[in-house]
Amino acid sequence: MFSVLDGAKTAYLAVKKFTTPAETIQPLRTIPKHRKPVFEVAFFKDSRQVVSGSGQIPRIWDVEKGTLVATPFEGWLQWGPIRSLVAVSPDDRRVASSSGDYIEIWDIDEQKVHDPLDKHADSITSLCFSPDGKRLASGSLDGTVIILDVETRTELSTLVKNNLGSVFCVAFSPDGSKLASSTKFIIRVWNPDNAELLFDINAHSDWVTSVVWSPDSQQLVSASYDKTIKFRDLANRFQIGQACTGHTDKIYSLAISSDGSFIATASEDKTVRLWGTKSRQQIGQSLEHTKLVFCVAISPSGELLASGDYDGNLQLWPIENTLSTPIKEAVVKYFSWVMLSHKWETKEPLLHDIQGKSIYNLDPVGTVVKLQKFCGVARDAGHRWAWSDTCCIDQNNNVEVQRSVNSMFVWYHHSALTIVYLSDVPPSSKWGALANSIWNTRGWTILEFLAPKIVLFYQADWTLYLDDRSHNHKESVAITQELERSTGINARALVAFRPGMRDARGKLQWASTRVTTLQEDIAYSLAGKDGDKCFTYEVKADGLQDLLVTTTDRLVQFSPARRTRQTFLLIRPWNRYDLGLFWDSSNGTQIGQPCTGHTDNINSLTISSDGSFIATASDDNTVRLWSTKSHKQIGQPLEHIIHVCCIAIAPNGELLVSGDDYGNVQLWSIGNALSASFGLDSSYDSFFAHRSKGRLGRNLYVEALSDADKVIELNPSSHIGYELKHAALHGAQRYDDAFDVFKVMLSNLDNAHDAQMQKLRQKYISASEALEAAVRRAIYAQLENAPLRLINTSTGRLCNRDAQIDVFIESTEYKELLSSSVIHGPLQTETIKEVVAKYFSWVMLSHRWERKEPLLHDIQDNDIYDLDPVGAVVKLQKFCKVARDAGHRWAWSDTCCIDQNNNVEVQQSVNSMFVWYHYSALTIVYLSDVPPSSESGALANSIWNTRGWTVQEFLAPKIVLFYQADWTLYLDNYSRNHKESVAITQELERSTGINARALVAFRPGTRDARVKLQWASHRETTREEDIAYSLFGIFDVNLPVIYGEKRQKALGRLLQEIIAHSGDITALDWVGQPSNFNSCLPADISSYKALSFTPPSLSEDEMRTSVSMLRNIMAVESASKLYTTLENLGVPRFANCRLQLPCIAFPLTEIRQRPGRYVDQYFIYDIKADGLHDLSITTEDQLVQFWAGRPVRRKVLLIRPWTHHLLEPSNFAELPSIDDESSVEDYWSAPGSPLHDSPPGSPGEQGPVNSELSERAFRLVVHLGQPFSAFLLTQQRGGEYTRIASDNDIIVQVTDATCVENFMDVRTLEIL
């Protein structure tokens, strides 16, 4: 974690030195194309488009280009005042807009606007779609909230009770179960399903202008004209924490990020501000407009913010730029520390006493108690770090002591808090005890009180002095006056002291009465208050460029107009062998000192390929090597017997060739030339650095490492040797060692004062921080779909997510990534994702629970491989070993990786289980009852194949392997994935009834509900509720887990969610006993065992023949009217155990019981209804008999649940089933979403009948004439109905299809 800490330190220093005002953040883009104020703005789901409401004209804009995408569609009209509001449906298919008291709904796909709706009596103030996009809520100045059906555009309900005045805002909760509206002072929370007012919240002191929900629907956030933002807990309706304050004028709009981590507000004070939902503090800078801001929206991606103002400007802001400052603030807060000021006592704990130990575990004797109490007080005050001079400085390290003494004032000044411990001030002391304390006589304590911003004084028993519980005792008049009188330091200096040499006599007087243990400390304790003073002068001299000189001496200043008697000279020492000079080519000036050493003319010069050293040949009969950095000779001279006239260095830097006047050409080993005098001069490092680079290029990592070590030995303060050593270790795949070298290099760079070195350090820090951030993002993305806990298959230890991350940070894989980023620069995101995905991949276990399975408490803090290998522990150990041998580091078993006593965790696990299995790298199915070397068929007969949970445990994963009782592979199949085995897939298909395609590539969802329920109808679970909970993932629903609610309620809630979410009524097709949850649902899942009724299919020729016959005997108008009636019939709705079911009802005219009672208390009844063939049913219920001569008051209906696919429009012609191969012709099947139930547009009741419509109408009549599955309803006293259960399907057929219009009752019934 070195890079994290170092990066955090960098962030902290950046903030600490940040003394100038931040630059104003500029918008990413401004769209100034509105002539009127922008009153509302909303993003589309992909964050690429935004819709604005301005004047009477809503507009859609391209976010990236800032161009207009769409203006009002065909059918749009201007209504009412200029204020326009907008809202986008969750599926991006519709945009709702308002103007005045009119609402218009835009159809994005058809580029069309429906006729305006005039539902309110006054102007509309707010619009909001429900989460499923089926409903639209609107608030108005007339004091009402109206909920509309988006498809039919009909009014569903009006929410009004004790009209409290204008409604400013409406907002559906994310789960759709509630709706909030705001009025003056008050937020009202409604049940949108039945228009019931749940409760009122007295929220603000002025108009509540905007309300949003947290993503979990558990909190409300509101903004008001009173300039505040407040958070409310819906469980108790109490305010959470303090209100957000900072706006200086009315707040008009409020938005919340999709993850609920922050909110944005728009105000009349011309600013948009961001706030953290946890801290409820402003984050980042305010975003400034030139006029008041009416609206704000956050993109679903969380990357952009849009705001609109009075001038008609729509501005887009990058949120990341705004939050960069809060990141630094968070780092500063995390690394804040507390300092201790006290009088040293005998036997204080020193560094070696606490190093490597927890101070809380030390014996609480003597001064150890003081240290423990101090750290405890700091911790309770919310600070993570604490410092005491007794034990946090290595007193034996002179360098550290010197640095600490010189830094002490800064440390105290930037501390979050300084605690002064007065060991000689007893509890409950009066004013004056501080002045008389020995602490007030010590030399160091002046600095320790003057430097900090916040100070608290504690008495001997660690209670606050004078019982003053204020935030800062520097703000206490009593304490400040006491110190002023006793120290002579004026109150202003005591509260806000500024160090420096000014008023030195006064500061020395403060210290004149102080004493220190060490004599020198009386001076050292004052260093932080003064410090060295330097003066910088601009110097001019004839023939030289102007320059700056910095010195501690104060010079007499002069110029041509102000002469002085003193003479100042700028001198350069001269050497007659100044022959090797370096020049700056950009300005022609000499660089540094010349290379001197030759005693005669230099004839030739060459430079190494990396520019680290040069070689010269001279008439003094020598060749010499020189460092280009130090300009000093390196190594010994290489001697010829005559003048040397030429020289060259090999590209690899290892050889040198020279020629002399006698024609001799000599080859020299540069390494040998340097070795004779190695260690005498640090300048030699350039050669070894050059050779190390050459050897790295040839993959000679051992040799390159040796040279790098020599560079470090010669010049330990340089980064170059560490860079080379890091590269050599990385090449040798010694990543741990490479990582350690990198840390040492950063430490050296940290201590460097050279600007270039600091810049280099920042480069490495930036690279490591960028890698750290990229790795963190990749980890969080990977763990988002991972179990909460996993077993480390290498160590046998159970780890939560934080522990997994810690293990990764210490892993070779991470250090290789870090090392690669140092050498090669920023890594590709895909590379990081691949490494992270591989490291964090996990294996899931699917099995049949046995007796005494190891639970969480059995393995927590234990190595599973060390547990006694008995019973089910052996299974866990074998599973983890198989996963480990397959190359996976993490494994999961439902027995021990879930805290069964934590209801929240159990619920999260049940709702996430399908996802965990789906994203696992491998799922191992252990068949404990399948013996070794079993033949095909053993899997089908395994008890594993009868359990409820195992359906999803096989369907969800991509890769599955079956293991027999002895942990050998089933059928001896060594392929990587048994889902690709034809034999195993066919065996499962035959035994489960699940088709092969779904077994191999299943996709969860509520579609084909009846088929999926049949899969589970033969399954069993130990806990009765699990038969429903085990299907949550199959149907992709997320519901509360409530063990103890019993089977019927659990199954009822699941089926209710399926029908309400999808409109699929196939779940109503069952035989057996009804549920207490709702009579239309079965009491047990086994009621779905029987295959659903499939009506006889008609070929296209048969259909055309039937239609042709109908045209001759049935009026077109009658068929069209019937078609229109059924087309306009709504979709099923299911909530609060009540089913609103669209259907075709046939009132019964006669029920007669056949004589006698049958087996198991069943009764058989003969039934008649107008327009239907007579039929009989068998049921446990004893029905009231009636006929023409014996009527009854309560109605009994035979109903046919309605499904729109019989209308045969183009978008329902072919509905793919679960295997995506065959069309769904079953009567019960319905389209996947109720949003599609009503095709756009309806035929008019007047005028000529469209030929295409008439064709569809006659085809509908033919379908209605076919046999269909129905069920009986009996009316209750309140007008609702209950279903009469039957032990077999009730199959019905009309007597005459041409007369269906006369005896069918088309309506929606409420069924309990």
Side-chain angles (χ1 to χ4, degrees), residues 96 274 292 504 538 576 582 623 689 778 881 997 1070 1082 1109 1293:
L274 299 181
L292 64 89
E538 183 178 351
R576 77 183 179 90
F582 291 79
V623 171
K881 288 178 181 177
R997 178 165 298 207
W1070 53 270
M1109 293 174 60
Q1293 187 172 13

Side-chain angles (χ1 to χ4, degrees), residues 750-770:
D750 188 32
N751 297 325
H753 299 293
D754 180 72
Q756 191 67 22
M757 293 298 98
Q758 288 293 329
K759 185 177 180 181
L760 182 64
R761 179 187 181 280
Q762 187 57 45
K763 170 191 169 184
Y764 283 121
I765 288 294
S766 299
S768 62
E769 286 178 341

